[in-house]
Amino acid sequence: GSDWSSDVCSSDLLPMYAPFPPRVMITIMSFGFKNGIPLDADLVFDVRFLPNPFYIDELKKKTGNDKEVYDYVMSFAEAGLFLDKLTDMLAFLIPNYVKEGKYRLVIGIGCTGGKHRSVTLANALYKRMKDHGNYGLTLVHKDVDRLK
């Protein structure tokens, strides 16, 4: 794993000394629940309500970074609906967090193994958010390369 979570804490102090309002840094992180919830996640969303591509032979070995898996997961109306509701909630939350002095936000999106559904939804959320709002945006797939 990476050890960048330690410097996340120390840089939370920076905004107090910054002469201008800092940009919010948002990380969208996919993960697998079977590997544990990321400790630095502020918000955690469970996408295990969507059908699991793991059980489809030709998708099993692929990930949400592959078009076939992405298209399969996003073909369910619930995936788009979830994305709409999540985007709407984040549009409400982000400015309110900033008002309270929170400048770093980690949004965790989890499925069972962290390879298919969570990766797809994290990619879709990133696509949707990257051209909106005054924030830095990072996409991390925590468990996509795990062997089991």
Side-chain angles (χ1 to χ4, degrees):
S2 61
D3 53 14
W4 57 274
S5 54
S6 56
D7 54 67
V8 168
C9 303
S10 58
S11 50
D12 277 345
L13 302 172
L14 290 176
M16 289 162 44
Y17 306 108
F20 53 89
R23 271 168 38 121
V24 190
M25 300 306 295
I26 298 174
T27 301
I28 300 169
M29 182 184 290
S30 70
F31 71 94
F33 277 98
K34 70 177 188 184
N35 304 308
I37 295 172
L39 292 177
D40 41 1
D42 297 294
L43 302 170
V44 173
F45 297 94
D46 181 346
V47 293
R48 289 175 294 189
F49 64 89
L50 293 165
N52 193 348
F54 179 83
Y55 297 111
I56 295 166
D57 285 340
E58 54 272 25
L59 300 181
K60 183 178 192 146
K61 297 234 182 339
K62 295 183 185 313
T63 75
N65 289 326
D66 294 304
K67 188 182 185 319
E68 302 91 319
V69 172
Y70 185 93
D71 290 348
Y72 172 80
V73 172
M74 296 310 292
S75 73
F76 297 95
E78 294 85 353
L81 207 52
F82 169 77
L83 211 52
D84 291 344
K85 291 178 182 297
L86 180 54
T87 309
D88 188 47
M89 184 157 78
L90 291 171
F92 165 75
L93 285 174
I94 292 166
N96 283 293
Y97 281 137
V98 172
K99 214 160 58 183
E100 288 301 313
K102 184 169 176 53
Y103 293 98
R104 287 185 176 269
L105 185 65
V106 178
I107 303 162
I109 299 182
C111 62
T112 306
K115 292 184 187 305
H116 299 100
R117 294 165 292 182
S118 62
V119 172
T120 295
L121 270 303
N123 285 340
L125 181 63
Y126 179 82
K127 255 190 241 176
R128 209 175 259 210
M129 289 180 74
K130 74 176 189 330
D131 302 319
H132 302 284
N134 181 31
Y135 43 70
L137 197 59
T138 310
L139 180 61
V140 176
H141 297 306
K142 191 169 165 293
D143 297 325
V144 77
D145 294 326
R146 272 183 190 255
L147 295 173
K148 19 162 122 27

